Amino acid sequence: MSFHDILGQEDAKRLLQNALRKDAVSHAYLFTGPSGSGQMKTALMFAQAIFCTTCEDDACGECLECRKVEHGNHPDLSLLKPDGASIKIDQIRELQRMFSYRSEGVNPKVYIIEGADRMTVQAANSLLKFLEEPPAPAVGILISDNSSSLLPTIQSRTQRIPFSPLHPDIMLQALSSEGVPVPLARCAVSLTSGLDGCRELLAQNWFAEMRNLVLQLAKESLGKGSSAVATAGQKLFKSGLGEHLDILFGMFHLWFKDMLYFLYRKHESIVFIDQLDFISRHARQRSTEQWVAYMEFAAESKGKLRSNANAQLCLEQFLIRLES
């Protein structure tokens, strides 16, 4: 693996490779940005480059140190992620215990903490002491998609490496090369912020089924006296799709936006591109204001789900508003 294998994130790669080249690697980094935009892959790549015995600012992938990282058994690399809903103080204490031993090589030890913003207060305070006074030379990489939740004192003691969402065209090209059908790829790319997130979503058996159901309900809602509300709950909750209503409302939001894209002649931005014929015949059935209102309905429904509202009631209310 090499930095060249990481799509996008040119600024992040430049900062990290410059640090390697100048022998100025910091004691701690904060990789922050939207989930799925490549932070973990970059963190592992950076660790591998630190250990590599061949390259100055990258990883050769062939030396013993590189192969240990790739096989997940490097003794000087520790990975830590939430145990359940949070990272607990015992996990940080175990990390400290492991780092009390000397490194097996000439390089510092490396630890990667995924979901760092999900540390308990006790765990965060314990990590803070570790950041200030590690028992051995160490490089810490904290990964977070909500860095504002981290203690300000932790933020101030780390070098921030910002990650941004990958450009949709880059993700579409990568997914296309992997054989993903264009309609599904465009939908997944529009619902996630990174290639890893896209692949994870596309791997779900229910994703394509959900897309088909959203199209059916969206088309029914444009007709008078439709049976969308009567049949939606039965279709969704009997098939298990009701567990993924956040994706359903996200797809509806994209559908309504596609109507606006057609009205404004931005056909290249349409997500449901395989439905262009239908969209062209129905986009003018509603005003721009109505399509915007429908997008707001979808966003509001998604917000209600996050507030633990009854899922089936959320869906029924949403569809009723579309038909009114």
Side-chain angles (χ1 to χ4, degrees), residues 299-310:
E300 288 171 13
S301 299
K302 198 169 184 178
K304 289 178 182 177
L305 282 181
R306 293 197 188 103
S307 302
N308 297 318
N310 180 276

Side-chain angles (χ1 to χ4, degrees), residues 42 120 159 163 165 198 205 216 235 286:
T42 306
T120 64
Q159 181 179 342
F163 283 72
C198 284
N205 293 330
Q216 181 182 342
K235 291 176 180 176
R286 303 286 191 274

Side-chain angles (χ1 to χ4, degrees), residues 105-117:
V106 297
N107 293 303
K109 291 189 174 187
V110 178
Y111 61 94
I112 301 171
I113 301 180
E114 187 177 6
D117 52 278

Side-chain angles (χ1 to χ4, degrees), residues 103-282:
S103 170
E104 292 196 6
V106 297
N107 293 303
K109 291 189 174 187
V110 178
Y111 61 94
I112 301 171
I113 301 180
E114 187 177 6
D117 52 278
R118 293 163 63 186
M119 284 186 287
T120 64
V121 174
Q122 295 86 351
N125 285 326
S126 183
L127 177 67
L128 181 60
K129 296 177 183 177
F130 187 57
L131 282 174
E132 293 174 332
E133 300 176 3
V139 176
I141 304 172
L142 280 59
I143 298 175
S144 172
D145 57 7
N146 185 23
S147 60
S148 60
S149 297
L150 284 166
L151 290 177
T153 44
I154 287 180
Q155 295 185 52
S156 66
R157 285 163 175 77
T158 57
Q159 181 179 342
R160 182 180 293 263
I161 304 293
F163 283 72
S164 56
L166 280 178
H167 192 282
D169 289 345
I170 294 177
M171 293 193 285
L172 285 172
Q173 184 176 357
L175 293 172
S176 177
S177 68
E178 295 170 12
V180 178
V182 171
L184 282 178
R186 291 180 76 92
C187 200
V189 163
S190 301
L191 291 168
T192 58
S193 55
L195 198 53
D196 291 342
C198 284
R199 292 183 179 124
E200 184 177 342
L201 198 56
L202 289 162
Q204 305 302 316
N205 293 330
W206 52 263
F207 183 67
E209 187 179 353
M210 177 68 84
R211 183 181 183 275
N212 291 335
L213 183 57
V214 166
L215 287 174
Q216 181 182 342
L217 293 175
K219 292 174 181 179
E220 285 182 1
S221 68
L222 291 173
K224 294 183 178 179
S226 78
S227 59
V229 172
T231 60
Q234 181 179 6
K235 291 176 180 176
L236 276 162
F237 294 95
K238 283 190 176 181
S239 63
L241 294 177
E243 298 177 9
H244 311 289
L245 284 189
D246 56 328
I247 295 295
L248 177 140
F249 291 129
M251 287 185 181
F252 264 110
H253 192 276
L254 296 174
W255 174 257
F256 302 138
K257 187 185 287 188
D258 278 356
M259 295 294 184
L260 292 175
Y261 281 143
F262 182 83
L263 292 177
Y264 286 99
R265 301 180 184 278
K266 294 184 177 181
H267 296 184
E268 71 283 354
S269 299
I270 291 175
V271 173
F272 292 93
I273 195 65
D274 56 326
Q275 303 297 315
L276 183 58
D277 183 59
F278 182 92
I279 292 171
S280 68
R281 289 184 282 108
H282 292 83

